[in-house]
Each structure stands twice: as structure tokens, then as C-alpha cells.
Amino acid sequence: MSSNHNSPDRPYPLERTRNIGIAAHIDAGKTTLTERILFYTGMIHKIGEVHDGAATTDWMEQERERGITITSAAVTTEWWQHEEDGVAKLFTGQKQRINIIDTPGHVDFTAEVERSLRVLDGAIVVFCGVAGVQPQTETVWRQATKYHVPRIVFVNKMDRVGANFDNVFHEVKEKLGANAVRILIPIGAEDHLTGQIDVVNQKAIHYIDDATFGSKYEIIDLDADQKKIAEEAYAELLDAVVSVDDQLGEKFLMEEPISREDLKQAIRRATIANKLVPVAGGSAFKNKGVQYLLDAVIDYLPSPLELPAMVGMDPDNEDHKIEVHTSDNEKFCSLAFKLWADKFVGKLVFFRVYSGVIKKGDTVYNPRTRRSERVGRLIQIQANEHKDIQACYAGDIAAMVGLKNVTTGDTLAKEGYDVVLEPPTFPEPVISMAVEPKTKADQEKLANALARLSEEDPTFQVKTDEETGQTIISGMGELHLEIIVDRLRREFKVEANTGAPQIAYRETITAAAPGEGKLVKQSGGRGQYGHVRLEVRPNEKGKGLTIENKIVGGEIPKDYHNAVFKGINEAMTNGIIAGYPVIDVHVDVLGGSFHEVDSNENAFTMAAIFAMKDAFNKAKSILLEPIMAVEVSTPDDYQGDVMGDLNRRRGQIQNMESKGKLAVIRANVPLKEMFGYSTAVRTLSSGRASYSMTPSHFEQVPGNIVSEIVTDRGH
């Protein structure tokens, strides 16, 4: 690999840099794993535990109180692969830099994971050795696949009662469809977890329980039972790698000897190409298996140089693609993937550099706003500690201070470099509530605070209800909005009252129907005239609004076509049943008529709105409600009660399975019925059940509930 991509000033060459995320379902142990990595790499000298509220990356007060991760935290650390007898490693003796982002596991904060995966080169996906593949893990996995992120699986919590490495390994293959291979198999489980079998090197790593928290380990030969497991796993590993890597496949066919380095290089190539997922097992909490997992990160996850060039586009011509190559010597180009309002330094813009170098005081250009701004400070983030740096190089993740007109997903580049990188995509909010300040004096403070929070979080939206004048906040779930209100109080010193949560209902049509709209006003002076004929019909699920222009013979002059389309779009924002947005409609614009003098754009926009309302009235409009995919894990004893409760909530049980003494129930339940479910499920199961829910789809609301909703909306 040529070194001419590196600026002579950069502290670490690009090939020795790893940008990784740690992602998983809530409670799989991501933050604990991050904490151990920081400890073993010498970044911290005392281990903080999540349950004590002392973990480095859980630094928000809300995170410490709840023992969950809410915001993704970035940390930077260093790792050497130590030379050890009988163990092949690909980069021994080279100091490596690892940038880590610890992401949240709760579905309400899925945007944090989405934007982190967009800018990372690799990921460690953590699974709980007892629970295996859980719903949020599937979401994370899909997000990683969407952005082609190579990943390693770490099966954590192997010290817990009921932990089973083989079960989780099979679930990763079956449920996630991953081409998974075992590289580090835990020795023992539950209380008898002592170390790992290194499959490639056919050795046992035995971690020593003493006051050094697993910092010491010894490499020993395998005993007879372990040898059998290791040889079987090696044969499976070799078989899997040979099938996906041509270089090793050729050696294998020619019956040439395959060294451990050859095999590791091939695993590396296959992992980076997303053809293989290495799996390791251990326990972060019990300090077993983290060092060799770090070696695997260095061995198998890519440096920024090993990934395909980022493809951007020209903002003036979407068909013109521009490749952004990873190198310090190219023009500066980066992606702003997160904004954060910091109480000490103001607005922080987290960014990932894809090419070039940025220095403190430089000017960056934003192709979206077509404006340039000066970078006041460059900061390397260690969770909530800030370290000023002079320059930031290709492949680095850092934050800048001093930019004003930036939103999540903006490209920041060298002046005159017109390129737009693909921003991360975010799901639509599913739940809303009204919010108002406790005192009139706080009105402005509340508006400013909400504006800053929605700037930071793309899944948090603020709008004013035109009918009631209320401020409505929308987010991904009850917990999401609860944290927002908590942050208003603590960070922005605004006490707020909240109304009952509102649900993001939608409307759609079930039949085709014609619609006609006319605006005719003659009241002295210039009149208004617009006339539109159209036809609506149901669109495919998820297709949204599509419009086909079938106007012939100049019934409506070309100048007014856009005004008609604008009216159609506006009519989609509130339906005729309860005023909710309408989805999945196809519109054919057929024609109309115009008046030489009185027609104008506004008249045609209004006529199109009238025509749409007319068509909706005939097209059998229905109300849709968001349905959540709910998964409840409960001890067998409470299974009947939990299922009965889900049925009462209009839930449809999809399937059930047993995992040891736990029953896992999957159901589709309307969001309306899920409020306060966390309290209910705790009560039903004496606090022993846990659940998660993810937005699934929209379904028609039963007739008896429609009238309730319409009355509530005052329609």
C-alpha cells in the first residue's frame, strides 16, 4: 500500500486507522465493552460501570440515571498487537489508532445509530449470549447492510446463566442471513467461563482473574476436548473463506500450504467485502475476551484506504457523480453527521473527513447553502471531554466549532469544491405531544430550546398546530419525548407542561374516483378563475404520492401546471376524515379550463385542492394507524398474562418461541394501545419481563375507534 496518501504531519498513517462503531440491542453490553476497550488500551485507568452510572461514554445525566445510552459518544484510543509465541497477527508491533462510537441500543434513538453507521468503516455488533438476536439488533444489522459496513460479531455476557454461544451463532446465520464464521470460541460458560479458543491459531487464551481486571492472560495449548472443537471450527472457517475469497481458493485447489497469515489475510479481504462475518465470544463485564477482540478489529476491519471511494454528486447535475478518494492530498471533503449543543463551547458539528486536511481557521464551503464559513476550533472528542487540535486529516472523526448554517447530513468541503455526499436517512416520527411553557415568560426560551434540540436530532420535529395554535413535538417513542422534556428542564432551564401524546395517524383512499374543483370569484376589479379535473386511485403501499400529467390540448396553460401540482401536494397534508396527512395516492391530472384575464397561479392551486377534496369524498377514504412490532421476553410463568394483555390491546400475536425458561412473544400492536406499556408489563411479570417495540407499518383503524379520533380532533 503506497504511503503517498498520508500527509507528513499526520500522527497516524491512514492504513493504521480504524473507525468503528459498537452497536446492538439495548442491554447487550455495548457501553461496558467500550469501557473495557478504553481500559485495556490505557485511555482510562479505572473501569466505570454502567449500573453505577460511571461509564465514560454515558456522560449525560439522563444516561447515568437510566443506565442506558441515549447519544452516541465518540472516543479515540490506541492499540498495539503484541507479539506472542505461536500466535499469528497481521500488524504486530504497529501502533494503531481506533476511533470508536458507542451507539444507543434503544429503538427511540435509532437515528443515532443510523448516522453513526453512515460515517464508520466497520462495526462490532454485540449480542447478548442469553437473548441472542433481538429486534433492535435486526434493525442495526439492516442499517449496517444499507451502508455496506463490514462487521465483527461479539457474543457478550457469556458469564450469564443460560448463555449459549452456539445458539447465538446459529441465530446470526439464520435470522440475519449472515455468512458467519467462528474465530474466538468461549471456553466454558456461566460461572465456568475462563477464556477463548483462538480458531486460526489453534491455541487457548486463558484470562487470569486478579486485581488487574483481566489485563493478564496466558496462551496455552488446547486440551483434547477443546482441540476437537477447534479443529471442527477451523475446517468450517477454511471452507467458508475458500468459498468467498479467490486468492485463498486458488491456493486451496492447487493444494499449496496455507499459512495462518494467509488465512487471516483472506478473512480480512472477505470481511471488508461484506462476504463474511467473524464471530467472537466472551464477557466484557467479567473481563474475558476483549483484548483478542481488539486484535480481530485490527486484523479484519478496514482502514479508510481499503474501502471504495465515497461517491458524491454535483449539486447542479445529479447525474454527474464525483468520486471522493481517501487521501490527505486531495481537496478537503467531509460529512457533518451530528450536531450537538454543548453548554461550554456552543454548537458542535461532528464530521467525518473523507479526503484532504482541514486546519483551525480554514474556511469550509457548504454546497447546500452555497455559503462559506470559518472554522473557529477543531476538537477531538473523548466522550464529553474536548481536546483542541490544530488539524484534522482524511479518515478522522472530530468536531468543529464556529459554523452556524449547518444541518445533519450536510457536506462540508473546500471552497469551490461542489460535491454533495449522500446524507444519512432518518425514519419518520411516530408519536407527538403538545408542549407549553409553565409561565408566559418562558415562551421564547422554550421556542429557542426546541429549535436547538430539533437541529441536533433529525427524528425530533417541532411544529405549530394551525387549528389549535399548540406547539406539537414529535419523536420516535415515549422515552424519546420524555428525555427531550427532561433536557428542556436541565439544560435549557425551561419548565414545560406536556399534553397527552398524539399519534401520527394517516389517511388513504381505497377506491378510484374522479374529482373536480372550481374557483370562480367576481367581486369588482380582477377576478379569480381556476378549474381542474383529476382522478385519484390507491397507490402501492409505501409509494407515497405520484402524479401523472394527462392535460391535453392546452385546457390548462403550461404556466399553471406547477400551481396545480402544488395544490395536489397541499391537499395531501390533511385528509377529509380527521385532517391527518394522506398517503399512497396516485393522481391523474386530466384537464380543466381557464379564463384569459382572471386565471392566475393561486386560483389553480385552490381549484386543485378543491378537486382533491371532491375526489377524496368519493374515493372511500379510510384512517390508518401506526402498528408496532412488539417483542416481549417473559419468564414462562407469566406468559398467559402477558398474551392476554396484548390481546386486550388489540394485539395480533405473530409467533412465540422458548429460549430456556423464557418465552418470547412477538405481536403487532397499534401504537395507540401501547402507552404506559412499560409499567403494565412490569406489573404483570413482577418486573421480570422486558420488551421492545419498533415501528412496523400502517393499518386501517377499526370503525368504532375512528369516531373517537374524529371527535378528539374536533372534525
Side-chain angles (χ1 to χ4, degrees):
M1 221 178 266
S2 73
S3 57
N4 62 359
H5 300 290
N6 294 309
S7 147
D9 305 326
R10 72 177 292 147
Y12 287 81
L14 269 159
E15 45 273 43
R16 298 221 301 262
T17 301
R18 301 285 183 276
N19 290 317
I20 64 162
I22 297 185
H25 186 88
I26 191 164
D27 266 355
K30 299 173 295 301
T31 303
T32 305
L33 176 62
T34 309
E35 198 69 15
R36 296 303 185 270
I37 289 174
L38 294 177
F39 178 72
Y40 296 131
T41 55
M43 289 308 291
I44 55 173
H45 301 295
K46 175 177 173 289
I47 289 179
E49 298 298 359
V50 175
H51 51 263
D52 297 335
T56 310
T57 52
D58 280 355
W59 53 270
M60 285 171 69
E61 290 171 21
Q62 292 89 340
E63 294 179 314
R64 295 190 160 172
E65 285 168 9
R66 290 172 173 81
I68 60 166
T69 303
I70 292 167
T71 175
S72 42
V75 285
T76 297
T77 188
E78 298 162 352
W79 181 247
W80 273 272
Q81 286 188 335
H82 299 294
E83 204 161 314
E84 287 161 342
D85 280 349
V87 177
K89 300 180 185 184
L90 294 181
F91 301 95
T92 40
Q94 300 176 15
K95 193 165 159 189
Q96 309 274 348
R97 162 175 283 187
I98 308 179
N99 297 318
I100 302 171
I101 295 186
D102 171 28
T103 65
H106 200 287
V107 62
D108 285 17
F109 309 108
T110 188
E112 285 290 321
V113 187
E114 182 88 25
R115 56 176 159 203
S116 302
L117 286 171
R118 169 65 185 82
V119 297
L120 291 166
D121 303 331
I124 301 173
V125 184
V126 185
F127 292 80
C128 166
V130 183
V133 175
Q134 293 168 282
Q136 187 57 14
T137 332
E138 294 183 37
T139 308
V140 169
W141 198 267
R142 280 197 301 274
Q143 288 169 319
T145 304
K146 177 162 106 186
Y147 295 120
H148 308 293
V149 178
R151 58 215 92 144
I152 286 177
V153 162
F154 182 60
V155 180
N156 191 19
K157 301 197 174 183
M158 283 306 302
D159 57 304
R160 291 265 303 273
V161 174
N164 187 320
F165 179 76
D166 290 338
N167 277 0
V168 182
F169 175 64
H170 290 303
E171 280 195 359
V172 170
K173 290 171 85 156
E174 284 161 27
K175 287 192 177 172
L176 302 175
N179 187 11
V181 291
R182 294 172 295 173
I183 53 164
L184 294 163
I185 300 171
I187 297 171
E190 302 181 358
D191 293 347
H192 307 295
L193 179 72
T194 57
Q196 294 164 307
I197 295 170
D198 180 337
V199 176
V200 174
N201 293 301
Q202 297 282 297
K203 291 279 183 192
I205 306 126
H206 178 251
Y207 292 89
I208 295 161
D209 285 323
D210 63 9
T212 59
F213 297 108
S215 296
K216 294 182 187 152
Y217 56 85
E218 53 191 4
I219 291 156
I220 50 179
D221 288 328
L222 301 164
D223 65 26
D225 291 346
Q226 293 163 359
K227 201 167 180 57
K228 196 175 159 199
I229 296 168
E231 282 171 355
E232 193 182 297
Y234 184 86
E236 263 179 42
L237 173 65
L238 188 61
D239 189 43
V241 180
V242 163
S243 315
V244 293
D245 184 76
D246 295 344
Q247 270 174 266
L248 199 73
E250 208 168 295
K251 272 195 154 187
F252 186 73
L253 287 173
M254 304 302 284
E255 295 184 357
E256 291 175 27
I258 291 173
S259 69
R260 288 171 310 192
E261 281 84 358
D262 291 337
L263 179 55
K264 281 205 157 189
Q265 294 281 12
I267 297 172
R268 179 179 183 80
R269 287 191 296 272
T271 305
I272 293 171
N274 272 311
K275 292 176 179 171
L276 209 63
V277 178
V279 180
S283 165
F285 183 56
K286 287 286 164 69
N287 316 307
K288 292 184 173 68
V290 178
Q291 293 93 320
Y292 262 60
L293 177 68
L294 274 169
D295 279 347
V297 164
I298 302 298
D299 276 344
Y300 306 131
L301 290 182
S303 75
L305 285 175
E306 289 164 293
L307 292 169
M310 207 25 86
V311 178
M313 64 179 192
D314 184 329
D316 298 325
N317 174 7
E318 291 190 6
D319 297 331
H320 178 213
K321 300 285 185 254
I322 301 167
E323 286 199 346
V324 177
H325 293 278
T326 303
S327 166
D328 291 339
N329 306 321
E330 299 271 332
K331 290 182 200 162
F332 172 70
C333 180
S334 69
L335 184 76
F337 67 96
K338 177 174 173 170
L339 307 183
W340 188 255
D342 184 274
K343 55 184 173 211
F344 301 115
V345 295
K347 184 159 147 186
L348 281 176
V349 178
F350 285 73
F351 65 105
R352 155 76 197 258
V353 186
Y354 284 101
S355 66
V357 180
I358 179 93
K359 296 196 165 112
K360 191 172 124 180
D362 282 359
T363 304
V364 292
Y365 170 70
N366 183 341
R368 181 182 60 84
T369 58
R370 306 275 163 146
R371 310 258 294 271
S372 295
E373 294 188 71
R374 192 174 161 279
V375 179
R377 287 167 67 187
L378 284 174
I379 292 176
Q380 192 183 51
I381 306 287
Q382 286 293 55
N384 64 333
E385 287 178 20
H386 304 150
K387 190 170 131 198
D388 276 275
I389 48 177
Q390 294 306 309
C392 202
Y393 301 90
D396 284 354
I397 292 175
M400 51 176 93
V401 180
L403 305 193
K404 296 208 168 37
N405 297 318
V406 180
T407 60
T408 302
D410 277 355
T411 301
L412 301 171
K414 185 181 166 64
E415 284 190 275
Y417 190 14
D418 246 350
V419 60
V420 175
L421 299 175
E422 180 202 349
T425 53
F426 299 109
E428 285 292 309
V430 292
I431 181 172
S432 314
M433 60 163 76
V435 61
E436 59 181 31
K438 280 199 172 154
T439 64
K440 271 277 184 276
D442 277 352
Q443 191 84 43
E444 198 173 317
K445 262 168 80 179
L446 176 70
N448 291 341
L450 289 174
R452 274 178 63 183
L453 289 168
S454 68
E455 223 182 29
E456 226 171 75
D457 180 350
T459 57
F460 172 62
Q461 293 175 4
V462 183
K463 61 177 192 291
T464 305
D465 186 316
E466 286 169 16
E467 290 173 23
T468 61
Q470 284 178 307
T471 302
I472 306 289
I473 57 175
S474 312
M476 297 305 296
E478 281 184 282
L479 180 65
H480 188 191
L481 294 184
E482 186 190 310
I483 300 277
I484 293 275
V485 174
D486 200 33
R487 287 187 61 195
L488 285 175
R489 198 182 79 240
R490 292 190 192 190
E491 286 170 42
F492 299 96
K493 307 285 182 273
V494 179
E495 292 289 338
N497 294 324
T498 52
Q502 298 292 314
I503 296 163
Y505 289 103
R506 294 285 182 266
E507 297 185 20
T508 193
I509 56 173
T510 56
E516 190 167 355
K518 238 180 193 178
L519 178 71
V520 184
K521 273 191 180 167
Q522 299 295 152
S523 53
R526 188 86 180 265
Q528 297 257 21
Y529 184 90
H531 172 214
V532 175
R533 285 183 304 106
L534 47 77
E535 191 170 277
V536 298
R537 64 171 186 266
N539 217 340
E540 278 174 53
K541 258 192 183 172
K543 261 289 177 64
L545 169 67
T546 51
I547 303 174
E548 198 173 329
N549 187 348
K550 292 186 170 177
I551 302 169
V552 287
E555 285 189 24
I556 299 174
K558 275 221 161 101
D559 296 359
Y560 301 135
H561 288 192
N562 281 343
V564 172
F565 302 152
K566 183 183 167 201
I568 291 171
N569 274 295
E570 264 181 47
M572 294 288 287
T573 57
N574 47 18
I576 57 159
I577 301 174
Y580 285 103
V582 186
I583 57 169
D584 300 338
V585 174
H586 175 80
V587 182
D588 287 328
V589 185
L590 304 174
S593 60
F594 71 103
H595 187 284
E596 287 290 355
V597 180
D598 292 347
S599 282
N600 58 34
E601 288 190 357
N602 187 43
F604 272 103
T605 299
M606 292 308 294
I609 292 174
F610 296 155
M612 289 290 283
K613 297 289 185 210
D614 179 40
F616 287 161
N617 275 315
K618 302 172 194 160
K620 299 186 181 151
S621 290
I622 57 168
L623 196 60
L624 301 172
E625 62 183 340
I627 303 291
M628 309 303 279
V630 178
E631 180 172 297
V632 188
S633 300
T634 172
D636 286 340
D637 312 354
Y638 307 107
Q639 181 185 331
D641 294 346
V642 169
M643 284 176 66
D645 182 61
L646 287 171
N647 285 326
R648 273 195 299 281
R649 294 172 187 272
R650 296 194 284 128
Q652 291 177 326
I653 308 288
Q654 300 299 307
N655 66 8
M656 277 167 43
E657 61 177 297
S658 303
K659 283 189 182 175
K661 290 183 179 170
L662 279 183
V664 179
I665 304 160
R666 292 187 188 83
N668 286 343
V669 192
L671 175 62
K672 179 183 191 317
E673 309 295 339
M674 287 300 290
F675 290 131
Y677 186 63
S678 49
T679 317
V681 79
R682 274 189 212 126
T683 312
L684 284 172
S685 65
S686 312
R688 291 172 60 197
S690 64
Y691 83 101
S692 64
M693 62 177 190
T694 45
S696 172
H697 59 285
F698 281 91
E699 245 175 49
Q700 185 171 352
V701 179
N704 57 335
I705 292 168
V706 172
S707 48
E708 265 179 51
I709 295 165
V710 173
T711 316
D712 285 352
R713 288 279 283 188
H715 261 251

